[in-house]
Amino acid sequence: MSVAPLRCQTDPMSEIEPRSTDGSDDLRTSRHMVHNLGRAFEYAHSVLAENAGSAVTDRIGDHIGLPALEASIVEATWPTWAHASVHLAVQAHLEAHPDPDGAAPVWFGLSVSHHQHQDLASVLDQELRQGRSTLSRPTHAQVAVGHDRMLTVVQAGLVTSRAPSGEPVVLVLRFTSRQSPAEITLEVVSATPEAGQATLEALRTLVDSNDLLRGQVVTFGMSEHYGNELVSFMPRPDVAAEQVILPEGVLDEIVDHVIGIGASAQRLGEYGLHLKRGVLLYGPPGTGKTHTVRHLIGRAPEATVVVLTGGGLRFISPATALARRLTPSIVVCEDVDLVAQDRSYTPEGNPLLFTLLDAMDGVSSDADVTFILTTNRASELEEALVQRPGRVDLAVEVPRPDQAGREALLRLYAAKVPVTADLSVAAERLEGVTASAMKEVMRRAGLAALRASEDSPEITDEVLDEVVSRFLDDSSMLTRSLLGTSESEPGGGEFGLGGGPRPGLYPTDGFAPFPMN
């Protein structure tokens, strides 16, 4: 690019008045100095404006055939967790609309500082006045696209492309924080608004089709995954039906409602029957509600699953919007009583209760979306949630295991350690305890067996009897309360100590977005 000499049609400096020779008139002299300095600044500004330019604005203007500051700009924004999907959509658009000359697309960057806090028109104006004469490189970042995968994406960059009509456009992909929260912004610069709008609509479609959350298990909240600040990816759990110990027929009923209806989605839709469904799992802490949920998630490998627990329940609106878009989908709300407590407990009610109700009502009846809610305190739930048709249409109690269930749990949690003990005796002594308590008992029994014989450990009657006795000892009362026993109910709420949910054990196979209770 050739550089023209600085020029100006008129020379404002010629109008600068000469300095007064009357040294006694200090005021007049000061006025002349201020006047002359102002004229000098005006002259410098006019010369810079007339000769302004930058490599960025020149590239844009050369491509679209119009000065950058006169171009049309249209934009769309996405939450930061959609960064990878937007990046892939842009890449797909570039492949679908190649350069007529066959040149490969080349990204270039912005030279203006703090551009992420400004709109693109202001950024281009600064580029024109303060930009570099050579193109800078785009910036990149790594974002999570799965529980064990990362993708390098453009964090701030521009690339020349074509609209669906063939009109030249420039795509600008930026991480912006002009307002809270931060967003991923995609801007289209073009000579006409129509070309920009058509390009943006095509890109929106590509973002949806390239959505990397589709078929994933995610949880909303603060993430630990490399700058992915809102969504964390989790591995899909693999819990076999044999590992879910419930009263006979209970698991089959739940699976049929969650998985069976989805398998018949097409036929149900043909006959006008609704697909959206809600399931409430209730019962004491530690009985296996979350374990059951993990089994359901594993049984639906193609479903997009959003898990909300604790503080993440405040994201019910974006979570539901995601579920509506990426069907078939499952929305899990753990300990839903935290936000859906009956309004009689507080005069104003919990604002998130109304958000939850609106979110559930906002899903179309023909959408293949399942809401799975769990609670330790079913009696305290808002009646509008559990009694209104279309929100929760199946409520299943997950009780403490009976004698047969306790024996099955002891056998299951022995894992690979050989057992010669009579499990029926231990199961009878452990009446009233929960599944999580059974798991802890067998862990202790396995550890005792290993200490007794590392080469050939074996859970004998003697080993198991001693472990159970210690567990039932008065000194272990707090441990039993935390793990869930019937003795902990008096004085508390309907199902637990102090009327509230109690912590449980975390699974040991790598999937722990919420406690196992």
Side-chain angles (χ1 to χ4, degrees):
M1 181 182 67
S2 60
V3 180
L6 296 179
R7 51 189 172 81
C8 185
Q9 294 178 350
T10 61
D11 184 1
M13 294 295 290
S14 63
E15 301 179 12
I16 294 180
E17 300 181 15
R19 180 177 178 180
S20 172
T21 57
D22 185 0
S24 61
D25 192 355
D26 293 337
L27 179 59
R28 180 176 177 81
T29 300
S30 298
R31 287 174 177 172
H32 274 291
M33 292 177 62
V34 172
H35 174 77
N36 293 342
L37 185 59
R39 297 300 298 165
F41 274 120
E42 289 180 11
Y43 173 70
H45 186 273
S46 65
V47 171
L48 289 173
E50 187 174 348
N51 295 277
S54 78
V56 171
T57 55
D58 286 348
R59 172 66 70 89
I60 294 174
D62 291 344
H63 183 67
I64 67 174
L66 192 71
L69 294 189
E70 298 178 20
S72 168
I73 301 175
V74 294
E75 72 168 46
T77 60
W78 286 265
T80 55
W81 42 264
H83 196 161
S85 300
V86 177
H87 172 88
L88 292 178
V90 173
Q91 295 292 80
H93 181 86
L94 294 175
E95 294 177 5
H97 302 280
D99 187 276
D101 298 329
V106 178
W107 288 86
F108 55 100
L110 294 165
S111 60
V112 173
S113 301
H114 308 297
H115 63 81
Q116 67 270 24
H117 303 303
Q118 306 174 61
D119 60 81
L120 185 59
S122 300
V123 172
L124 293 180
D125 182 66
Q126 289 189 48
E127 284 283 354
L128 185 64
R129 299 181 182 279
Q130 307 170 19
R132 297 169 33 164
S133 59
T134 58
L135 290 174
S136 57
R137 296 178 180 272
T139 59
H140 295 83
Q142 278 202 324
V143 296
V145 294
H147 75 277
D148 58 354
R149 295 183 295 120
M150 305 293 292
L151 178 70
T152 300
V153 299
V154 173
Q155 188 174 40
L158 304 84
V159 64
T160 57
S161 183
R162 297 277 166 173
S165 63
E167 185 174 336
V169 297
V170 176
L171 307 181
V172 186
L173 177 58
R174 297 191 293 151
F175 178 94
T176 58
S177 55
R178 293 171 293 180
Q179 54 187 359
S180 181
E183 298 172 314
I184 299 303
T185 301
L186 183 57
E187 294 139 322
V188 183
V189 185
S190 58
T192 64
E194 293 76 15
Q197 291 288 357
T199 304
L200 198 57
E201 287 304 314
L203 286 163
R204 285 182 185 275
T205 300
L206 287 171
V207 171
D208 287 343
S209 61
N210 286 277
D211 199 316
L212 290 171
L213 298 187
R214 188 181 303 277
Q216 300 264 22
V217 180
V218 299
T219 179
F220 275 67
M222 296 305 294
S223 172
E224 59 187 10
H225 292 288
Y226 298 95
N228 189 352
E229 297 178 355
L230 190 60
V231 171
S232 296
F233 295 87
M234 298 292 173
R236 191 173 295 271
D238 182 17
V239 178
E242 296 75 19
Q243 296 176 292
V244 183
I245 310 300
L246 296 175
E248 185 177 356
V250 172
L251 181 60
D252 292 338
E253 182 182 17
I254 298 171
V255 170
D256 183 61
H257 198 75
V258 176
I259 309 300
I261 290 178
S264 304
Q266 183 175 352
R267 297 291 292 166
L268 289 171
E270 291 174 358
Y271 286 93
L273 299 174
H274 70 279
L275 280 174
K276 183 183 73 171
R277 50 213 182 271
V279 178
L280 174 67
L281 304 181
Y282 67 94
T287 53
K289 296 184 292 297
T290 296
H291 197 60
T292 303
V293 171
R294 297 174 70 242
H295 170 70
L296 295 172
I297 295 174
R299 289 282 294 267
E302 297 181 358
T304 303
V305 182
V306 184
V307 178
L308 303 176
T309 182
L313 288 166
R314 68 181 183 273
F315 295 109
I316 183 65
S317 291
T320 305
L322 182 69
R324 284 199 303 264
R325 188 162 50 84
L326 302 180
T327 57
S329 56
I330 298 173
V331 179
V332 179
C333 296
E334 274 280 302
D335 294 319
V336 70
D337 50 274
L338 294 176
V339 298
Q341 193 176 43
D342 189 85
R343 278 171 279 190
S344 63
Y345 286 88
T346 55
E348 298 83 10
N350 190 326
L352 286 177
L353 167 63
F354 305 103
T355 302
L356 174 63
L357 298 179
D358 290 343
M360 298 182 74
D361 292 341
V363 176
S364 174
S365 62
D366 61 352
D368 191 1
V369 178
T370 304
F371 289 89
I372 302 179
L373 317 178
T374 71
T375 182
N376 301 330
R377 302 181 293 180
S379 63
E380 297 183 13
L381 291 180
E382 166 62 33
E383 291 185 0
L385 173 66
V386 295
Q387 295 185 4
R388 177 172 172 174
R391 289 174 178 164
V392 173
D393 36 40
L394 177 66
V396 178
E397 180 182 9
V398 182
R400 290 187 174 84
D402 56 14
Q403 173 70 17
R406 292 193 298 275
E407 287 187 43
L409 286 167
L410 291 172
R411 191 173 297 105
L412 171 66
Y413 290 134
K416 299 179 181 180
V417 182
V419 178
T420 60
D422 184 354
L423 296 181
S424 63
V425 176
E428 186 174 354
R429 294 183 64 191
L430 291 169
E431 182 179 1
V433 306
T434 61
S436 57
M438 295 287 186
K439 188 174 185 178
E440 172 59 15
V441 166
M442 293 311 288
R443 185 183 70 88
R444 295 184 185 185
L447 180 61
L450 285 168
R451 287 173 175 171
S453 175
E454 292 187 2
D455 296 331
S456 55
E458 186 178 285
I459 299 178
T460 61
D461 284 315
E462 182 181 358
V463 168
L464 188 56
D465 180 70
E466 182 178 356
V467 167
V468 171
S469 296
R470 289 188 177 183
F471 184 80
L472 296 176
D473 187 82
D474 289 343
S475 62
S476 299
M477 182 178 296
L478 179 58
T479 298
R480 295 198 304 277
S481 297
L482 293 173
L483 293 175
T485 61
S486 57
E487 67 192 52
S488 66
E489 287 187 2
E494 181 183 4
F495 295 120
L497 283 172
R502 307 307 302 170
L505 292 177
Y506 280 84
T508 58
D509 56 359
F511 179 81
F514 36 78
M516 176 183 174
N517 60 1

